[in-house]
Amino acid sequence: MQVTTYWAEHAWLDPVVESGVAVDVADGRITAVRTAVTAPPPGAVSLRGLTLPGLANAHSHAFHRALRARTQEGSGTFWTWRDVMYGVAGALTPDSYFALARATYAEMALAGITCVGEFHYLHHAPGGTPYANPNAMGEALIAAAAEAGIRITLLDTAYLSAGFGEPPNRHQQRFSDGTADAWAERAAALTPADHARIGAAVHSVRAVPADQLATVADWAKDREAPLHVHLSEQTAENDACLAAHGCTPTRLLADHGVLGPRTSAVHATHLTDDDIRLLGGAGSTICMCPTTERDLADGIGPAARLQRAGSPLSLGSDSHAVIDLLEEARALELDERLRTRTRGHWTAAALLRAATADGHASLGWAEAGRIEAGALADFTTVALDSVRTAGPPARLGAETAVFAATGQDVRHTVVAGRHVVRDGAHQLVPDVPGALADSIAALRG
């Protein structure tokens, strides 16, 4: 068994920062962690800066990367933003989606992300006709993650209606399998890989009829797979659910067996006290996406109350207005400060936990997100000598990473013991900005 040793100048070993940490890696896993190693051992790979567990981006729509800046012209609402999104979705093919996702996932690796949860609902050709391979789009995403060097949980998404009792509109036809049973049959044909796991998602209570929610939940339960759902991002969803079912979306999900410890509710912005009790009591993770939630003027969700009620927290970049999990972690605390006008809701360690161990667990990778023996050898190193991070003592490395650093400060990213980003350069995709520009330009004809 070949062992590679990485020597971290400083490493966050939850909850503290240690200096001089040797991490032995074999077969993609950490075999030993040794502290107080004052210099790199012979043959070791040096990681200068602060080494963290790999970051988990628990909520992504890869094709939304093509929307960056395009949706910032003028004003509008979530719903007008959605119309622009539909235009991009309508232009994608399996080949063009692969190219865009490969570049987007490479951008994630450059920002220290080692695993992504891809909330995937773009299944069929325009008009809803299945491809010859019904999972061509999902398989393109899995292949894209492999080429970008990161792990993926493909959260294959049931998206069956435009609203309560409404058939899919012309933009949504390519999202829909018609019924939850047909969705389940197609999703069951997806194949996991060393870097890829398969999960499920309910797009929203708007998009899956109540009498079909259990089909999706049971599919995930039978496979012990993660199950994600967009929840109460907009008050209009709550109002429509109350009109259709006489209850909140959270209550509807609970009544149909969707909530539970393998379930993640994304956004959870507009909740009642009873909703918070239901989510916390079920142990469902809450995935907060602060940069998207503020970009779309969604509001600030009750993350602190949800965590106190029993819900772990994870983080996602969602629409990719920016791709920076350190910014998502920082925004979680700072948005709560603005809402409450008090400081210190989470420690830096707690915010890093949301970005690492708890995020990975929500995606079905419970063996990742920690620097310890037996864990997957996925970690990232943040510079402590940039214009943003220089000055604080190393013992405050977690605070520096969360409250000062950005994705631009990521120096190294290692996945399964392989150096994917070295000294700020992606080793598998040599020109990430060019790949992004070309793949996005191709969608505009």
Side-chain angles (χ1 to χ4, degrees):
M1 181 173 63
Q2 183 176 355
V3 176
T4 300
T5 298
Y6 286 91
W7 179 80
E9 182 182 21
H10 310 285
W12 181 67
L13 305 181
D14 187 8
V16 298
V17 173
E18 299 278 0
S19 295
V21 177
V23 181
D24 296 335
V25 174
D27 294 331
R29 288 186 179 261
I30 297 171
T31 58
V33 177
R34 291 170 283 133
T35 59
V37 180
T38 56
V45 180
S46 293
L47 304 174
R48 297 284 178 180
L50 174 70
T51 296
L52 306 168
L55 305 177
N57 188 353
H59 189 66
S60 163
H61 302 290
F63 75 92
H64 288 190
R65 177 59 181 83
L67 297 173
R68 189 177 295 179
R70 291 181 63 184
T71 58
Q72 306 301 336
E73 295 180 287
S75 60
T77 67
F78 169 89
W79 308 102
T80 57
W81 169 89
R82 192 176 69 159
D83 289 339
V84 179
M85 178 270 288
Y86 284 152
V88 172
L92 286 161
T93 66
D95 288 343
S96 63
Y97 204 7
F98 166 80
L100 176 58
R102 173 179 176 268
T104 302
Y105 296 155
E107 182 181 356
M108 291 184 192
L110 288 171
I113 293 163
T114 57
C115 184
V116 61
E118 184 61 39
F119 199 103
H120 166 58
Y121 54 81
L122 189 54
H123 302 306
H124 307 300
T129 301
Y131 290 103
N133 172 4
N135 284 310
M137 296 294 267
E139 290 177 6
L141 292 165
I142 291 171
E147 292 214 3
I150 69 172
R151 303 184 194 274
I152 185 171
T153 297
L154 188 75
L155 298 161
D156 197 278
T157 304
Y159 194 138
L160 308 174
S161 66
F164 299 95
E166 297 178 25
N169 65 34
R170 63 184 181 87
H171 302 292
Q172 298 163 341
Q173 288 172 345
R174 68 182 310 189
F175 307 163
S176 177
D177 292 292
T179 67
D181 286 334
W183 165 84
E185 181 178 359
R186 180 187 52 72
L190 285 162
T191 304
D194 287 345
H195 77 291
R197 294 181 180 174
I198 309 301
V202 169
H203 179 274
S204 58
V205 294
R206 300 190 318 275
V208 177
D211 61 0
Q212 299 186 58
L213 288 170
T215 301
V216 185
D218 289 345
W219 188 97
K221 181 180 179 181
D222 291 345
R223 291 162 176 76
E224 297 184 347
L227 173 62
H228 287 220
V229 56
H230 289 135
L231 178 63
S232 293
E233 182 178 5
Q234 292 287 316
T235 56
E237 175 182 290
N238 291 358
D239 294 342
C241 189
L242 285 166
H245 297 290
C247 65
T248 66
T250 301
R251 171 57 69 180
L252 188 69
L253 295 174
D255 289 348
H256 289 273
V258 176
L259 301 186
R262 284 193 301 273
T263 299
S264 291
V266 183
H267 305 304
T269 308
H270 304 285
L271 303 180
T272 66
D273 291 344
D274 185 56
D275 292 341
I276 292 171
R277 285 191 292 270
L278 286 169
L279 289 160
S284 295
T285 295
I286 306 300
C287 182
M288 305 299 292
C289 306
T291 64
T292 292
E293 288 151 7
R294 67 192 183 199
D295 181 53
L296 297 179
D298 289 341
I300 301 170
R305 292 183 61 200
L306 283 158
Q307 189 167 50
R308 288 194 297 270
S311 288
L313 299 179
S314 64
L315 298 167
S317 64
D318 192 2
S319 68
H320 312 316
V322 297
I323 293 176
D324 188 339
L325 261 286
L326 297 175
E327 170 61 23
E328 304 294 344
R330 174 165 53 248
L332 187 64
E333 167 68 23
L334 298 186
D335 286 356
E336 189 70 6
R337 292 182 186 186
L338 283 175
R339 192 180 67 80
T340 64
R341 292 181 289 173
T342 60
R343 303 177 75 222
H345 302 275
W346 292 277
T347 63
L351 294 168
L352 286 177
R353 207 167 294 128
T356 57
D358 288 346
H360 279 97
S362 78
L363 297 176
W365 297 88
E367 70 273 45
R370 298 176 305 280
I371 300 176
E372 62 182 39
L376 294 175
D378 300 353
F379 36 89
T380 187
T381 303
V382 176
L384 295 179
D385 58 359
S386 76
V387 294
R388 289 166 292 277
T389 61
R395 67 178 180 82
L396 295 178
E399 288 76 11
T400 302
V402 170
F403 291 105
T406 72
Q408 289 292 307
D409 296 310
V410 169
R411 185 174 282 166
H412 304 284
T413 301
V414 174
V415 182
R418 177 176 66 165
H419 231 130
V420 175
V421 174
R422 186 188 297 266
D423 295 320
H426 203 290
Q427 303 299 288
L428 306 176
V429 183
D431 179 12
V432 178
L436 286 163
D438 290 346
S439 61
I440 293 168
L443 302 179
R444 299 173 184 169

